[in-house]
Amino acid sequence: MLLLLVMGLAWSFHGASCLPHPTGLTWAEEGAEGQCQCVPQLCPRATTCSAGLVCDHCGCCLECGNAEGQLCDLDGSGTFYGRCGENLECQLDIQEIGYGGIPEPQCVCRSQAAVCGSDHITYQNICKFQEAVREREGRNLSITSNRPCLAVPQIKHHPQDQVNVSGHDVIFMCEVFAYPMALVEWRKDEEEFGLPGDDPHISIQSRGGPLRYELSSCLQIEGVRKADGGTYFCIAHNKLGNATAKATLLVTSAGTCLQTQFPGVPPKEKLQQVLKRKLYIKRKKRT
C-alpha cells in the first residue's frame, strides 16, 4: 500500500502527471535490478522551464523539457539528451544534409503556424508563444489570431557599408519581415527609378526566408566601377507602411589588397553561394 502511495505521489508531483511504468514492474523491483528506483522526496524541483515539464527517463520525477531546436533522444527514452517539451516532438534535421552537415535529432514544434499575441508580437509558432507565456509568469498573455500580427515592414538585416576594389564584385543583402508580405526594391542615391534598370552589370535576387514571412533580397554589382560608388537603399513596403535601410559603397583604385569572399568562383554562382551561406548561418543562430 505504501509503495502504491509513493508511486501515486511520483506521478502527480509538482502539479503534473507522470505515466505509470510501461513494464508493469514496481519501482522497487526495478531498483533491485540496478535500474530506476523512484523516491519522490528526492526529486529536484524544476522551475522556469521554457518548454514545460516532462517526466524523466524513469517516469518518476518531473524535469524541464527540451525546447525547440535542442537535441533530443529519437527513441523517446530521454536517457541521454532528454525529452522534448509541450507540443514538441523529436525529429531528424534532414536540412543539415543539404548544407553538408550530419543530421541530428532536434525538438520540433508540432505546429509551425505563426500566431499573433495580445502583446502585438508575431510568434513563429505555438511553442514560441508558450515560451513567452512561461517567461512572463503573472502577466496576461493570450493569442488574438492564428496568423501573424498585421505589421509594417521591419528590416531584420541591414545592408552593410563596403569598401571594394574596382573590377571586383559587390553584394548587398537586406532581410525584411512583414505581414502582409513586403515588396523590396533597391535604389541608388537620389535616383528616381529603382535598380537594376537597364544596367547589365547590376542584378537583384530575392527569396523567402530564412524564416516564414521574411524576404531576403540581394543586390549584386559585377565588376564594380568608380561610378558605382554611392549610397544604396533597400526599401520595403506593404499596404501598412514602409521601411528603409541604406549602405554606402566606396570604390578604390586597382592594386588595393582586398580579397573576394569566393576567389575563382564565377559571379552568378558566387551570389548563390552567398545567399545559401548567409541564410544557413542565420537559421542556425535562431534555433
Side-chain angles (χ1 to χ4, degrees):
M1 179 65 71
L2 179 59
L3 178 60
L4 292 175
L5 178 60
V6 169
M7 291 173 64
L9 288 173
W11 301 334
S12 60
F13 195 57
H14 294 163
S17 298
C18 286
L19 297 175
H21 197 272
T23 64
L25 298 176
T26 65
W27 296 116
E29 289 172 334
E30 275 211 310
E33 297 174 5
Q35 299 180 17
C36 293
Q37 188 171 8
C38 186
V39 182
Q41 294 84 351
L42 299 181
C43 289
R45 180 174 292 275
T47 58
T48 61
C49 299
S50 62
L53 295 170
V54 297
C55 294
D56 63 11
H57 70 281
C58 288
C60 177
C61 299
L62 290 168
E63 61 184 8
C64 288
N66 293 349
E68 188 172 24
Q70 291 185 321
L71 297 178
C72 53
D73 295 306
L74 198 59
D75 60 2
S77 64
T79 55
F80 192 74
Y81 292 116
R83 291 192 172 108
C84 297
E86 185 180 353
N87 289 322
L88 294 155
E89 59 185 8
C90 193
Q91 296 180 5
L92 278 177
D93 185 8
I94 59 176
Q95 292 186 8
E96 291 283 354
I97 300 176
Y99 297 107
I102 299 175
E104 293 180 313
Q106 295 183 5
C107 294
V108 178
C109 192
R110 290 191 175 97
S111 172
Q112 290 299 317
V115 297
C116 179
S118 55
D119 53 359
H120 304 293
I121 294 177
T122 294
Y123 294 91
Q124 184 180 346
N125 51 47
I126 186 64
C127 300
K128 294 297 185 186
F129 172 79
Q130 289 175 328
E131 287 183 18
V133 170
R134 295 185 181 101
E135 290 172 358
R136 305 177 190 183
E137 187 176 357
R139 294 178 58 184
N140 187 21
L141 184 60
S142 60
I143 294 176
T144 59
S145 175
N146 291 319
R147 63 180 185 179
C149 304
L150 296 176
V152 298
Q154 304 169 33
I155 298 181
K156 298 291 188 177
H157 178 83
H158 291 238
Q160 304 296 309
D161 294 338
Q162 297 190 44
V163 178
N164 214 316
V165 178
S166 179
H168 286 197
D169 296 340
V170 172
I171 295 175
F172 289 110
M173 187 170 184
C174 187
E175 184 180 301
V176 180
F177 167 82
Y179 188 80
M181 289 287 288
L183 295 176
V184 176
E185 63 175 333
W186 292 85
R187 294 178 183 268
K188 181 191 175 190
D189 296 329
E190 302 299 326
E191 294 179 5
E192 180 180 356
F193 300 102
L195 298 171
D198 57 358
D199 195 329
H201 84 303
I202 296 179
S203 60
I204 295 173
Q205 287 194 18
S206 298
R207 61 188 294 180
L211 300 178
R212 282 173 301 146
Y213 309 108
E214 289 187 351
L215 182 71
S216 296
S217 182
C218 282
L219 168 69
Q220 181 185 29
I221 306 174
E222 298 182 19
V224 68
R225 302 170 300 206
K226 281 279 190 179
D228 293 319
T231 301
Y232 290 82
F233 296 86
C234 169
I235 305 170
H237 55 88
N238 65 8
K239 65 180 183 180
L240 299 176
N242 58 73
T244 302
K246 64 181 180 179
T248 300
L249 172 63
L250 175 63
V251 181
T252 64
S253 302
T256 304
C257 185
L258 291 176
Q259 296 294 324
T260 57
Q261 189 172 4
F262 296 97
V265 179
K268 291 184 179 179
E269 294 181 19
K270 184 182 299 184
L271 179 57
Q272 295 294 337
Q273 291 190 30
V274 170
L275 274 170
K276 186 175 181 180
R277 175 178 292 185
K278 289 190 175 183
L279 292 179
Y280 173 63
I281 292 174
K282 292 184 73 63
R283 184 180 66 85
K284 294 295 289 182
K285 286 182 178 179
R286 295 185 180 188
T287 55

